[in-house]
Amino acid sequence: MLGGIPTSLQGFSLYIDALKEVGTVDLELPNIQFMTDTLSGSGIAGEIEVPVPGLTQSMTLKIKKRAVNQQFTTLLAPRNHLLTFRGNMNMADPEHPVKKSKNRKIRVVANVTPKSMNIGKAEVAKSMDTEAEFEVASIIVFVDEVANLHIDKFNNKFVVDGVNYLDDDNFL
């Protein structure tokens, strides 16, 4: 079996500028929505919204951390930050006689700018639940070190499985 069945994510660590580790975080990846144009008129029975290939609406990324620390508050600096998230997805292989599992490496690299940060709550014997939200200028999603998705708004890239739908001569 090529992939197996995803069962759980084994931690997700955040690194700033690929070197400075912030720690284990929860990550909410962007909801990718295409920009659309509404078509109507002669030959069309009503209206239809047509997605514009490769052009996306604003993308946001959210990071949650159990407690605030110096590395995490650094992300509030009003500048671009290069963030790398690394984790392992546990995969069950239903065709293996003893239901053997394996790990797939997941890596997300994003160039972001801070939008907001909720430093969290301070309650005795509770996590602080620090949360930050960022605007995403570019994002690359790797599975087993293969770039499956690459969106870069400033460099005209919308790459899915190696095809750039914004700059590929075979597409436009």
Side-chain angles (χ1 to χ4, degrees), residues 80-101:
N80 288 338
H81 298 276
L82 181 63
L83 306 181
T84 302
F85 304 88
R86 294 181 181 272
N88 287 310
M89 177 61 70
N90 193 25
M91 307 291 288
D93 186 351
E95 294 180 0
H96 195 275
V98 291
K99 304 296 187 245
K100 184 178 179 180
S101 65

Side-chain angles (χ1 to χ4, degrees), residues 45 47 67 69:
E47 292 182 339
N69 63 10

Side-chain angles (χ1 to χ4, degrees), residues 46-154:
E47 292 182 339
I48 184 169
E49 285 207 21
V50 179
V52 180
L55 299 184
T56 63
Q57 295 179 8
S58 173
M59 298 185 300
T60 59
L61 178 141
K62 291 182 184 175
I63 303 169
K64 290 183 182 180
K65 188 157 173 49
R66 294 185 55 77
V68 69
N69 63 10
Q70 186 271 328
Q71 294 92 342
F72 198 71
T73 56
T74 296
L75 295 174
L76 197 54
R79 64 175 186 82
N80 288 338
H81 298 276
L82 181 63
L83 306 181
T84 302
F85 304 88
R86 294 181 181 272
N88 287 310
M89 177 61 70
N90 193 25
M91 307 291 288
D93 186 351
E95 294 180 0
H96 195 275
V98 291
K99 304 296 187 245
K100 184 178 179 180
S101 65
K102 60 182 174 179
N103 284 329
R104 300 194 86 168
K105 294 179 182 188
I106 307 291
R107 180 168 50 113
V108 177
V109 178
N111 188 345
V112 301
T113 306
K115 289 178 70 172
S116 66
M117 183 178 286
N118 179 352
I119 297 173
K121 300 177 286 190
E123 292 183 59
V124 175
K126 302 278 185 181
S127 66
M128 291 183 71
D129 294 329
T130 302
E131 182 176 284
E133 183 177 13
F134 302 89
E135 179 66 23
V136 177
S138 71
I139 187 166
I140 307 172
V141 178
F142 296 87
V143 178
D144 290 334
E145 296 306 316
V146 175
N148 298 104
L149 174 67
H150 182 183
I151 301 171
D152 189 333
K153 293 189 172 210
F154 293 119

Side-chain angles (χ1 to χ4, degrees), residues 19-67:
L19 300 174
K20 188 188 317 178
E21 184 173 9
V22 174
T24 302
V25 298
D26 291 334
L27 174 64
E28 185 178 319
L29 292 165
N31 180 19
I32 300 167
Q33 293 180 299
F34 289 108
M35 297 178 73
T36 61
D37 190 15
T38 303
L39 296 179
S40 63
S42 180
I44 299 173
E47 292 182 339
I48 184 169
E49 285 207 21
V50 179
V52 180
L55 299 184
T56 63
Q57 295 179 8
S58 173
M59 298 185 300
T60 59
L61 178 141
K62 291 182 184 175
I63 303 169
K64 290 183 182 180
K65 188 157 173 49
R66 294 185 55 77

